[in-house]
Amino acid sequence: MTDAVERQSPYHHTSRRLRLQTLIWLRWLAVGGQTLTVLIVASWLKFPLPLLPCILLIAALAAVNAYLTLRYPATYRLEPPAAFALLGLDLLQLSALLSLTGGLANPFAPLVCVPVIISFASQPLRYSIALILFAMMATTVMAFSPYPLPWYTDREMSVHVVLQLGVWSAIVSTMAFAAFYVHRVSNEARQLSDALAATELVLQREQHLSQLDGLAAAAAHELGTPLATISVVAKEMERELGQDERFGEDVQLLRSQSERCRDILRRLTTLSSGNEAHMRRLPLSSLMEEVIAPHREFGIQLELVEKGGRAGEPVGSRNPGILYGLGNLIENAVDYARSKVTVTVEHTAQEVIVTIEDDGEGYAPDILDRIGEPYVTSRPRHATAGGLGLGLFIAKTLLERSGARLTFENHQGARVKILWPRALMEGGERSADAI
């Protein structure tokens, strides 16, 4: 089950494409900020600067932005090469504008980090690395800008080479650190989002399977009336045409098949009515037997130990999330066990505890604290065993949503302890709705 989920999941290697409208709004913000800054420096502070080239650079960015706004719909998403090209263009325009206004002496020089951060937050790693290398080259070129920083004409403004080297180092290190941090955080968030989406799909499937019994009863009820009408008509036709050589045999067949359909629907209705309480509310022992039963025929001894006995055991909803989560943990224990898996169930007036132990090699010590994160393989593989990763994350998430607390540890093999407050286990429909 675990491997099947991981193989079928389309989420693990997905990448988000940058929405063009987001980039357009950021660019209009850049156009407005650059225009305002140039006007303040030239008109209010009256510092000398190459005004026409600066205006042309800003106008070029605005023209490209206007073209993109008119050419593409607001919902258009950029492929990685297109996003790389646009972010590279933004970086080139900003670097040129900064070079015309003092280079690294310009206090706005750290803004060259912005396109790099956007890329590392949303684009594949190879494009982001190419962009950060380009940004570092542009920063280096700015250090040799021949244009002075706009300043008072009666005062000389010179930046020592050591200070310029310090500014260059600060920008490059900030760029690299911010890029690494943003990439790591966004990648973890993306993995978590994709894994949670897979969790919802699994839960939806389990809930659908749990509802099939009710659907069968509804179908039997809805089909009963038209089938009764067909049966009555068949009897009338048999009475009139039963001795007719041409139609008698066909009419008898029609009546017999209608009766057969009524018998099938009657059995479906009886089965649903008889099992409704069993399907909706389960004692803890029945729930564990249902979870364990599919995993008994794999050559591994699977033992159920009931410490508290069945007297006064909790009775709760047939929660699809709990069934799937426990089943997944038991399946993983069977996959990695050498010969035996022990499932221990105990209950008190306050708690319900399920402990799953196997006699395998246990969890790798270096990643024991990371178990339950999406896409983490936590144990050495046997030749026939599957991996723990997305499947274990799904199981852990579903069980925690039902109110459980999970503990993973090594104790002569791997051990998983699942603990519920008894009130949640017996909470009826509320506990199921929590999923």
Side-chain angles (χ1 to χ4, degrees), residues 376-423:
V376 172
T377 300
S378 54
R379 300 207 239 175
R381 286 177 177 263
H382 291 174
T384 59
L388 275 77
L390 185 56
L392 182 57
F393 168 83
I394 291 173
K396 183 173 182 289
T397 301
L398 292 178
L399 291 171
E400 287 179 342
R401 286 186 180 185
S402 71
R405 298 196 307 272
L406 280 76
T407 304
F408 298 88
E409 57 188 355
N410 290 325
H411 180 74
Q412 299 177 355
R415 179 162 66 184
V416 184
K417 177 184 268 189
I418 308 104
L419 185 150
W420 286 271
R422 181 162 178 152

Side-chain angles (χ1 to χ4, degrees), residues 68-361:
L68 293 175
T69 302
L70 297 175
R71 175 66 177 79
Y72 296 98
T75 57
Y76 184 78
R77 291 188 176 272
L78 296 167
E79 295 291 338
F84 170 76
L86 290 179
L87 291 172
L89 180 63
D90 293 344
L91 187 58
L92 182 63
Q93 186 266 355
L94 179 60
S95 301
L97 188 61
L98 290 170
S99 295
L100 289 173
T101 53
L104 295 184
N106 193 311
F108 294 101
L111 287 176
V112 295
C113 299
V114 173
V116 174
I117 293 173
I118 294 174
S119 180
F120 273 89
S122 61
Q123 299 304 300
L125 192 57
R126 62 181 183 275
Y127 293 100
S128 300
I129 291 176
L131 190 67
I132 195 174
L133 292 176
F134 177 61
M136 290 179 178
M137 291 175 56
T139 305
T140 303
V141 171
M142 283 192 294
F144 298 97
S145 171
Y147 295 91
L149 177 70
W151 200 246
Y152 296 101
T153 55
D154 58 343
R155 300 178 188 175
E156 183 178 353
M157 181 65 179
S158 61
V159 180
H160 195 276
V161 64
V162 176
L163 180 58
Q164 282 210 339
L165 179 61
V167 173
W168 180 90
S169 301
I171 293 175
V172 169
S173 59
T174 300
M175 192 184 303
F177 174 79
F180 171 78
Y181 180 80
V182 167
H183 174 72
R184 184 68 181 268
V185 170
S186 63
N187 192 50
E188 290 180 358
R190 185 178 302 116
Q191 285 187 345
L192 182 60
S193 176
D194 293 342
L196 287 174
T199 303
E200 295 299 331
L201 290 177
V202 168
L203 180 58
Q204 186 179 26
R205 184 188 66 184
E206 294 298 314
Q207 289 174 333
H208 175 72
L209 293 175
S210 298
Q211 293 167 356
L212 286 180
D213 183 71
L215 291 175
H221 177 75
E222 294 295 329
L223 292 173
T225 300
L227 194 58
T229 303
I230 293 173
S231 180
V232 170
V233 172
K235 289 180 181 179
E236 294 295 329
M237 293 177 64
E238 184 179 21
R239 185 181 299 113
E240 297 294 332
L241 303 173
Q243 305 302 322
D244 192 300
E245 295 182 357
R246 294 174 300 168
F247 304 110
E249 186 176 347
D250 292 337
V251 171
Q252 291 175 3
L253 179 62
L254 175 63
R255 182 185 173 187
S256 66
Q257 292 302 308
S258 66
E259 291 294 337
R260 183 184 176 189
C261 289
R262 291 184 65 183
D263 289 339
I264 293 173
L265 292 181
R266 190 180 299 112
R267 286 199 300 270
L268 284 175
T269 305
T270 304
L271 177 64
S272 178
S273 300
N275 288 345
E276 183 177 1
H278 168 74
M279 295 296 288
R280 296 187 61 183
R281 302 283 292 175
L282 284 177
L284 180 60
S285 57
S286 297
L287 182 144
M288 294 309 303
E289 286 293 345
E290 182 174 344
V291 170
I292 290 174
H295 308 290
R296 290 192 182 277
E297 305 299 328
F298 294 96
I300 299 294
Q301 181 185 353
L302 189 52
E303 180 183 4
L304 175 62
V305 179
E306 298 181 68
K307 282 190 174 180
R310 298 192 176 184
E313 65 177 331
V315 178
S317 296
R318 189 179 185 277
N319 189 318
I322 293 178
L323 292 172
Y324 179 88
L326 290 176
N328 188 276
L329 294 176
I330 292 173
E331 179 186 9
N332 281 317
V334 170
D335 283 342
Y336 287 98
R338 291 189 177 95
S339 60
K340 183 178 180 180
V341 172
T342 303
V343 181
T344 304
V345 181
E346 53 186 311
H347 54 85
T348 66
Q350 291 79 33
E351 297 176 335
V352 177
I353 303 172
V354 176
T355 305
I356 303 169
E357 300 174 278
D358 65 66
D359 59 355
E361 299 180 17

Side-chain angles (χ1 to χ4, degrees), residues 11-38:
Y11 304 106
H12 186 40
H13 298 290
T14 57
S15 61
R16 296 176 181 173
R17 292 185 297 171
L18 185 63
R19 196 163 71 103
L20 179 61
Q21 188 67 25
T22 302
L23 197 56
I24 287 174
W25 280 111
L26 290 174
R27 286 170 138 217
W28 284 127
L29 183 63
V31 168
Q34 291 173 6
T35 302
L36 181 63
T37 302
V38 168

